[in-house]
């Protein structure tokens, strides 16, 4: 008798799952989410081609292009012989001293390549942080 | 005579103070609020949210003096007017406007297949919805609880204000608490479900996206998403409107306002009012504990779904994707993407996954808003 009551209670507990607002709604919801995003993927995938066609018909005007930011006067990051100038090294040393908890010694620095410069700012920061550093024993 | 008079006056005075009706539940909630403030200030856990919420919790648990409308639940109180924006779902769309004005969809546009990871993570929403139904919540309440898995505070508040206003405080606190705990919840699941070799997969840098693409995208994405899920029109509409302001290059002032002053004001009001709605009598209930448990389950399932779906995609892709970025599909912008970067670099310090993870991350925002729209449109009847 008790077992039958427990089984009945279990059945009633799961009963809402089989109503319209149960599993059918969950499945439908997932389908709608996936469908919307798959349609979005399809459209975005066609963007490069569509932009190419659009560019031929309506060339992108300067008005809608992002205004180029006023670039600061470039300071040479490296001297003619490829070594890093003293003031840049001082900045690197100050940044490392700020970022690292203990005293550190900069073992090696090198100029970033063009492709690395194109990567994100976060990547660059991490890259600098990843230089081999040795912590001095106090 | 004088002593009796003084005692009676002292008794009357006590009644006009909050000490007279202070209960243990209020004290517990005030301590919880202070812990939130401590975590935000001392540990930097989501300070922009936890400070307003924590202080709101303290304010909401100072017992009201009988006859004085003070709390968010008292008719005609000032707090109730401020709470109007939460109860009627006004603040979340405004937050979405600001988020749209901050969000850069370029990484998503440059690698569109990663959008699928944002969809996969929504499995957590719907599985938690089913779990809540089994635990005895009504379909409306279950829908509002399930959306915690979307890891999107404004979406959770918006949906619960529409479907289960009584649970709004618990759901909002659970959603924001777990968002603050993303760096704690996600890494073990990500590590458990991936091999070391998978975690070391490096992905190619994405292509450059033109200004024109970035302008056209919010308009087309809005049309596609809202045609398929009209219930998402409020959140998705504001998200993409904000993004259009940012990308169209001719409304810089509006975009700057949306992503700075406006979103800050709304965040203050939203956080404070949500906190103030957690008075002990409304919040300290068995349902709240269940909601916190289901919220943790929702986050874990959403994270696992994203990672596993990324592994599934790798079965068909020639250029493999790092499955860790699947975890960023849970939205929680940008914390989950940061967690992906962190876990990735623990395995390969030269591997930069942050920008790749931003694609499923922003796709997760869209996915959770669509999921909320579906649940709202189907359950509100």
């Amino acid at each position: 008798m008790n077992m039958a009551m427990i089984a009945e209670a279990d059945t009633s507990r799961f009963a809402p799952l089989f109503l319209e607002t149960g599993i059918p709604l969950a499945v439908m919801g997932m389908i709608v989410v996936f469908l919307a995003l798959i349609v979005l993927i399809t459209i975005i995938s066609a963007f490069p081609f569509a932009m190419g066609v659009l560019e031929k018909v309506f060339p992108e005007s300067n008005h809608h292009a992002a205004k180029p930011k006023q670039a600061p006067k470039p300071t040479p990051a490296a001297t003619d012989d490829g070594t890093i100038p003293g003031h840049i090294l001082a900045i690197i040393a100050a940044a490392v001293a700020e970022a690292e908890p203990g005293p550190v010694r900069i073992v090696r620095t090198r100029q970033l390549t063009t492709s690395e410069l194109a990567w994100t700012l976060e990547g660059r920061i991490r890259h600098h942080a990843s230089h081999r550093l040795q912590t001095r024993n106090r | 005579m004088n002593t009796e008079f003084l005692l009676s006056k002292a008794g009357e005075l006590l009644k006009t103070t909050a000490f007279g009706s202070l209960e243990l539940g209020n004290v517990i909630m005030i301590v919880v609020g202070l812990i939130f403030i401590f975590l935000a200030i001392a540990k930097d856990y989501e300070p922009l949210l936890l400070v307003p919420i924590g202080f709101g919790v303290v304010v909401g648990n100072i017992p009201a003096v009988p006859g004085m409308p003070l709390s968010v639940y008292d008719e005609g109180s000032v707090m109730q007017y401020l709470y109007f924006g939460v109860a009627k779902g006004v603040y979340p769309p405004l937050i979405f406007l600001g988020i749209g004005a901050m969000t850069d969809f370029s990484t998503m546009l440059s690698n569109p297949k990663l959008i699928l990871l944002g969809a996969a993570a929504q499995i957590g929403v719907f599985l938690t919805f089913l779990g809540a139904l089994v635990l005895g919540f009504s379909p409306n309440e279950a829908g509002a609880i399930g959306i915690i898995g979307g890891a999107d505070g404004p979406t959770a508040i918006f949906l619960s204000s529409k479907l289960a206003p009584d649970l709004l405080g618990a759901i909002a606190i659970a959603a924001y608490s777990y968002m603050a705990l993303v760096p704690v919840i996600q890494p073990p699941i990500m590590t458990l479900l991936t091999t070391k070799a998978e975690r070391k997969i490096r992905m190619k840098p994405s292509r450059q996206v033109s200004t024109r693409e970035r302008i056209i995208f919010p308009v087309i994405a809005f049309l596609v998403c809202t045609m398929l899920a009209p219930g998402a029109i409020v959140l998705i509409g504001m998200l993409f409107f904000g993004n259009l302001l940012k990308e169209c290059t001719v409304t810089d002032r509006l975009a700057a306002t949306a992503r700075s002053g406006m979103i800050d004001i709304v965040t203050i009001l939203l956080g404070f009012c949500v906190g103030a709605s957690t008075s002990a009598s409304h919040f300290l209930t068995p349902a709240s504990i269940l909601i916190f448990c289901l919220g943790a389950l929702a986050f874990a399932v959403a994270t696992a779904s994203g990672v596993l779906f990324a592994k599934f995609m790798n079965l068909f892709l020639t250029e493999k994707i790092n499955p860790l970025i699947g975890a960023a599909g849970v939205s929680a912008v940008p914390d989950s993407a940061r967690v992906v970067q962190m876990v990735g670099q623990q395995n390969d310090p030269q591997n930069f996954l942050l920008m790749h993870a931003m694609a499923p991350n922003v796709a997760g925002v869209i996915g959770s808003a669509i999921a909320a729209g579906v649940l709202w449109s189907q359950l509100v009847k």
Side-chain angles (χ1 to χ4, degrees):
Chain A
M1 183 62 180
N2 278 343
M3 290 297 284
M5 283 174 69
I6 291 167
E8 192 179 333
D10 278 351
T11 311
S12 63
R13 181 176 283 270
F14 289 100
L17 294 181
F18 303 101
L19 299 176
E20 194 186 347
T21 51
I23 292 172
L25 173 58
V27 172
M28 191 197 76
M30 275 315 299
I31 290 172
V32 172
V33 171
F34 267 95
L35 191 63
L37 295 183
I38 286 171
V39 172
L40 216 51
I41 291 170
T42 311
I43 293 170
I44 293 171
S45 301
F47 264 15
F49 173 76
M51 292 304 130
V53 174
L54 206 59
E55 186 62 33
K56 284 176 189 164
V57 183
F58 303 108
E60 196 165 0
S61 66
N62 287 334
H63 173 68
H64 286 121
K67 284 178 189 168
K69 284 177 184 166
Q70 200 78 34
K73 197 177 177 183
T75 310
T79 54
D80 291 342
D81 60 357
T83 56
I84 296 173
H87 66 282
I88 301 283
L89 276 176
I91 293 167
I92 294 171
V96 170
E98 180 65 28
E100 292 298 317
V104 292
R105 183 162 61 90
I106 297 175
V107 175
R108 183 171 62 92
T109 58
R110 69 179 173 83
Q111 192 65 38
L112 291 176
T113 63
T114 314
S115 62
E116 286 166 329
L117 287 169
W119 191 231
T120 62
L121 178 63
E122 178 70 19
R124 285 200 293 267
I125 292 165
R126 294 283 176 173
H127 194 91
H128 280 296
S130 72
H131 282 153
R132 195 154 52 87
L133 302 171
Q134 290 178 353
T135 307
R136 252 189 252 153
N137 291 328
R138 282 175 188 269
Chain B
M1 183 64 180
N2 279 343
T3 312
E4 276 178 28
F5 177 75
L6 284 174
L7 282 175
S8 70
K9 282 294 172 193
E12 283 173 25
L13 182 66
L14 186 65
K15 282 179 189 170
T16 64
T17 68
F19 290 107
S21 40
L22 191 68
E23 292 174 2
L24 179 64
N26 296 121
V27 176
I28 291 171
M29 289 306 295
I30 288 171
V31 171
V32 169
L34 294 176
I35 290 172
F36 277 16
I37 294 171
F38 169 76
L39 288 176
I41 296 171
K43 302 287 179 187
D44 272 346
Y45 280 174
E46 296 280 350
L48 300 182
L49 292 169
L50 288 192
V51 169
I53 291 177
F55 202 80
V57 171
V58 175
V59 169
N61 280 282
I62 302 296
V65 178
M68 290 177 75
L70 294 175
S71 83
V72 296
Y73 300 107
D74 292 337
E75 198 65 41
S77 71
V78 174
M79 295 290 281
Q80 196 191 40
Y81 286 114
L82 294 177
Y83 190 65
F84 175 87
V86 177
K88 299 296 176 190
V90 177
Y91 297 149
L94 294 177
I95 297 260
F96 260 62
L97 179 71
I99 292 172
M102 287 179 190
T103 305
D104 183 356
F105 285 102
S106 298
T107 50
M108 197 181 86
L109 294 174
S110 63
N111 200 351
K113 63 177 176 289
L114 299 182
I115 293 175
L116 282 175
L117 299 174
Q122 307 314 314
I123 291 171
V125 172
F126 292 101
L127 281 183
T128 310
F129 164 68
L130 296 177
L133 281 178
V134 171
L135 287 176
F137 287 98
S138 72
N140 281 19
E141 291 170 341
I145 294 167
I147 206 68
I148 297 173
D152 207 328
T155 307
I157 290 171
F158 179 80
L159 193 63
S160 49
S161 72
K162 299 296 175 193
L163 295 180
D166 291 345
L167 301 182
L168 197 152
I171 289 171
I173 298 286
Y176 280 119
S177 303
Y178 290 128
M179 280 171 67
L181 290 173
V182 158
V184 179
I185 297 172
Q186 288 199 311
I189 299 167
M190 293 156 74
T191 311
L192 191 70
L193 295 176
T194 52
T195 63
K196 198 165 178 63
E198 284 173 331
R199 293 195 290 275
K200 285 184 172 179
I201 293 175
R202 292 189 180 189
M203 296 172 68
K204 285 186 178 172
S206 311
R207 72 174 174 87
Q208 285 284 333
V209 177
S210 69
T211 307
R212 183 175 267 171
E213 282 175 87
R214 283 186 274 124
I215 294 172
I216 292 173
F217 170 73
V219 179
I220 289 183
F222 167 71
L223 290 173
V224 169
C225 295
T226 51
M227 287 292 178
L228 283 166
I233 196 164
V234 185
L235 295 175
I236 289 281
M238 294 302 261
L239 178 77
F240 286 127
F241 173 48
N243 191 245
L244 183 63
L245 291 178
K246 171 182 180 283
E247 299 294 357
C248 72
T249 72
V250 291
T251 53
D252 285 347
R253 278 173 52 193
L254 301 186
T257 304
R259 66 169 165 260
S260 54
M262 198 203 72
I263 197 170
D264 288 347
I265 291 168
V266 181
T267 302
I268 290 168
L269 291 172
L270 183 79
F272 182 76
C273 291
V274 164
S277 70
T278 60
S279 62
S281 55
H282 289 82
F283 190 78
L284 288 181
T285 61
S288 298
I289 295 166
L290 275 178
I291 288 168
F292 270 77
C293 296
L294 285 165
L297 175 78
F299 250 73
V301 174
T303 304
S305 306
V307 174
L308 292 175
F309 198 82
K311 291 174 71 140
F312 175 71
M313 283 171 70
N314 273 345
L315 297 176
F316 307 97
L317 295 173
T318 47
E319 269 183 29
K320 306 292 182 196
I321 56 176
N322 191 314
L324 291 178
I325 65 169
V330 300
S331 189
V333 182
D335 286 356
S336 55
R338 279 195 208 135
V339 168
V340 170
Q341 166 82 354
M342 184 189 77
V343 177
Q345 292 215 323
Q346 281 169 0
N347 294 275
D348 177 1
Q350 293 294 314
N351 199 1
F352 304 109
L353 295 171
L354 183 69
M355 295 313 288
H356 298 296
M358 282 308 291
N361 211 190
V362 294
V365 177
I366 302 172
S368 60
I370 296 173
V374 172
L375 288 169
W376 184 30
S377 61
Q378 294 302 310
L379 293 172
V380 79
K381 293 167 192 169

